[in-house]
Amino acid sequence: MPAPVQKPRTLYDKIWDDHVVDVQDDDLALIYIDRHMVHEVTSPQAFEGLRVSGRSVRRPDCTLVTVDHNVPTFSRKEFTDIGSFVTEPNSRAQCQALEENVKQFGLPYFGMKDRRQGIVHVIGPEQGFTLPGITCVCGDSHTSTHGAFGSLAFGIGTSELEHVLATQTLLQKKSKNMRINVEGTLNEGVTSKDVILHIIGVIGTAGGTGCIVEYAGSVIRGFSMEARMSMCNMSIEGGARAGMVAPDEITFNYLRNRPLAPKGELWDRAEAYWRTLKSDEGAKFDVEVNLRGEDIFPTVTWGTSPQDVVAITGNVPNPAAVADAAKRANMERALSYMGLVPGTPMQDIKVDKVFIGSCTNSRIEDLRSAARIVLAAGPDAKVAPGVDALIVPGSGLIKRHAEAEGLDLIFKRAGFDWREAGCSMCIGINPDKLAPGERCASTSNRNFEGRQGAGGRTHLVSPAMAAAAAMTGKLTDVRKFLGGDVTTKNPLKPTSEYDFFTDPVEPAPEPEPLTKTESASSKPLPPTETPSSVAKFVVLKGIAAPLHLENVDTDMIIPGRFLKTLKRTGLADNLFYALRRDRETTEFNDEMVLNREPWKHAKILVCTGRNFGCGSSREHAPWSLKDFGILSIIAPSYGDIFKSNTMQNGMLPVTLSEAECRDLAEDAEAGLEIEVDLEKREIRRPNGKPPIPFTVDEFRRHCLLNGLDDIALTLQKVGAIGQFEQRRSETWPWLDGFGYKGQKIPVAPVKKTTKMEW
Ligand SMILES: CC(C)[C@H](C(=O)O)[C@@H](O)C(=O)O
Ligand code: SF4
């Protein structure tokens, strides 16, 4: 009999197929997670969950922990410990909790004394922890960055994080396949950051919802790994949970010799497998977008959403030209927040601050490209008067690498502030933030209201454009600095031979005993125990509050500065902070519906705009809604991570058509109580209108109706997980991490790094 012909598969299909541990009737699959990265903001509640239920971390060897969001980026010369160095109490508490958890659960950790510390999405690739063909997760939406290596990498919430720690698996439904092709040649001054901003401008922040995006085409193939990471990083801003690029020579060259990448014969086996990781000819994509490199120009955002983009040569758009009333209102709000007048040339907009950093653009190439512009401005050129310009390398190693190339001197000579690694001014939950009304050209990824500090105004740009803005004091077309051959004019000498091996890679430490008699990792996993309970959701009757906004992001639901908590509760007052509070006095206002009777008591939120809960993976968003009393949201569509986060908390997101949402919003405006019945899958109104039916995943419905905990259910499949791990060790042995079953990876000999003379 001829062998069955397998139909052509996409890169995503292949990685998915290779990770399925178990499939349930309703399309949900338990998939194995190869790499788990952890930081201090989204993990404390998950570790607490493990502690309470007496569970251990299943694969410390596949877990890597660092501290990045809260850390101050000023000099660490005087650093002794977190307790004295991180002075803001909530930030300190999160960093200290992480260090305690690392010890207690025995996890590999790059702390603040370790020069490999840095932004979680920078250090994984840098160490070779991120590899092609893997599944990779982190309690952070920009995990999409790691897809640049041809891996399936996506952000998860805190409950899912706990699930991965305990089981090394996740319950997932397969997403749709989307491909974005960028063919042709890029214009002068256009970088991968401009390409991804342009893409988001075209597809919108909901464009990739429900999809995994593969970036393809000659432009992408020509990009370095750094450039691919910047693109995949912002997949989440385009609504997609993950973005990926098929691995190729550029990927292999980047990874070869990285500390945690396979070596010798294992490398050869791995590379042979990695070469199979590309979409087959004829593979089916549910959505395909084709763009031309020639149509992309140096790009900048004007508004408060990453889709609000314009070429730097353009003007601030005019809301009056927009027919749709809701869109016009959104634009007016954005322009008022940004303090911009329609028609103003973008290049006339003055900036107060420039930030070069974040998981999008803080890698060595980003720093080089910014340095080139500074050099092109002239030997004595300085940062424009009145502008504060900050350069924050993504990791301690990048900082050293840049210093070895002398980039720090270029920056410092021109008046830039040269910092230590961390998330810094990307999110403003550490000392680096914008003051109210300050305007910043930023290489980060989110320009939401208040993102870089309450009242701060963000324009997203590439590192070269940020450097140009620093030198002129205004948003500036980078091409002004690019006349002639910049590389010969500017004597930058990149060092590809940077030595990553001077620090030994140690296996994870032994877990500390939880009590005198039981340790976190030696305690056996609970067997087929009765599923523990989370709150049940059966029928919910109550006041519904109407909300007429599109693309409500989780930064809007709860701003970053309120994430610095170790608890899941106490967040109600900060729900929709910017909408509910007066900008000046911060008192609750009367305009926002949730501040008024009877909606103050709302149990249901009816949102008429699409893409509710997009952006960051913070589970604090559903926690704050729940804390306020809202247990069900009704909207036309959701950000993928937010949707699963709500269901992990006994809340029900109902998806209805836009017309149905508008209809229900009328009832909500009238202050009527409505009833969400999960048992019958329908929404009932008291005014004689017919019930509205809805659909919901069967497994999720079952869990919600019975108040079941995913982790306990998954642990019933521990046998299948163990079998998968055995096959994984045989087929992909390089995926067992350092320290697995007592193995150690050899430490390469120490090489000397010399400061470059140029
Ligand atoms: C803290 C974390 C939940 C968040 C994210 O998921 O993206 C943060 O990194 C951000 O950039 O907003
Ligand atoms: S987006 Fe910003 S805050 Fe989030 S991980 Fe990246 S650098 Fe950190």
Side-chain angles (χ1 to χ4, degrees), residues 326-405:
K327 288 206 166 62
R328 193 165 57 240
N330 266 351
M331 245 173 122
E332 278 161 357
R333 180 180 165 93
L335 289 180
S336 139
Y337 180 84
M338 292 296 289
L340 292 175
V341 177
T344 310
M346 291 308 289
Q347 296 198 72
D348 284 356
I349 299 173
K350 291 206 172 98
V351 298
D352 307 295
K353 291 225 157 95
V354 170
F355 169 57
I356 299 181
S358 86
C359 56
T360 317
N361 284 126
S362 62
R363 299 180 181 82
I364 190 70
E365 274 198 14
D366 301 317
L367 305 187
R368 287 184 193 136
S369 105
R372 276 198 189 102
I373 301 303
V374 178
L375 283 172
D380 300 319
K382 297 269 182 271
V383 166
V387 174
D388 272 343
L390 199 65
I391 311 229
V392 188
S395 72
L397 288 178
I398 291 176
K399 179 164 187 269
R400 278 184 61 123
H401 191 169
E403 287 169 357
E405 294 185 6

Side-chain angles (χ1 to χ4, degrees), residues 112 237 464 599 695:
M112 285 185 72
E237 273 66 52
W599 302 284
T695 56

Side-chain angles (χ1 to χ4, degrees), residues 196-308:
I196 190 66
L197 285 173
H198 178 85
I199 288 174
I200 297 166
V202 172
I203 67 172
T205 52
T209 306
C211 299
I212 303 295
V213 176
E214 180 175 341
Y215 299 101
S218 58
V219 166
I220 313 297
R221 280 197 301 277
F223 276 154
S224 66
M225 284 317 297
E226 280 86 351
R228 293 177 190 182
M229 282 189 257
S230 303
M231 284 200 67
C232 289
N233 174 274
M234 290 192 70
S235 304
I236 188 75
E237 273 66 52
R241 207 171 181 184
M244 42 172 58
V245 177
D248 58 12
E249 292 308 325
I250 294 175
T251 323
F252 309 146
N253 288 339
Y254 178 96
L255 282 173
R256 205 171 274 119
N257 297 328
R258 299 262 160 188
L260 300 178
K263 308 276 177 322
E265 188 254 338
L266 269 192
W267 171 274
D268 298 338
R269 276 179 74 181
E271 193 185 316
Y273 169 64
W274 295 342
R275 286 187 187 280
T276 67
L277 296 175
K278 48 179 172 243
S279 292
D280 295 329
E281 194 73 34
K284 186 181 160 298
F285 286 88
D286 304 281
V287 189
E288 196 135 16
V289 176
N290 294 307
L291 299 170
R292 280 164 23 100
E294 291 77 3
D295 296 337
I296 308 174
F297 297 94
T299 301
V300 55
T301 57
W302 55 264
T304 52
S305 160
Q307 71 186 9
D308 297 341

Side-chain angles (χ1 to χ4, degrees), residues 596-663:
R596 300 200 305 264
E597 292 289 353
W599 302 284
K600 269 184 172 171
H601 314 287
K603 291 189 181 160
I604 300 159
L605 189 70
V606 181
C607 184
T608 51
R610 292 176 316 139
N611 205 20
F612 186 89
C614 57
S616 150
S617 64
R618 57 192 70 174
E619 203 160 310
H620 309 67
W623 292 338
S624 58
L625 285 159
K626 189 173 177 178
D627 211 34
F628 182 90
I630 293 173
L631 290 174
S632 178
I633 301 120
I634 301 171
S637 66
Y638 298 89
D640 294 332
I641 310 179
F642 173 82
K643 189 172 175 191
S644 58
N645 282 345
T646 53
M647 291 191 278
Q648 298 285 340
N649 285 280
M651 299 164 71
L652 179 66
V654 178
T655 309
L656 295 181
S657 71
E658 287 184 42
E660 287 167 328
C661 289
R662 278 197 298 272
D663 189 11

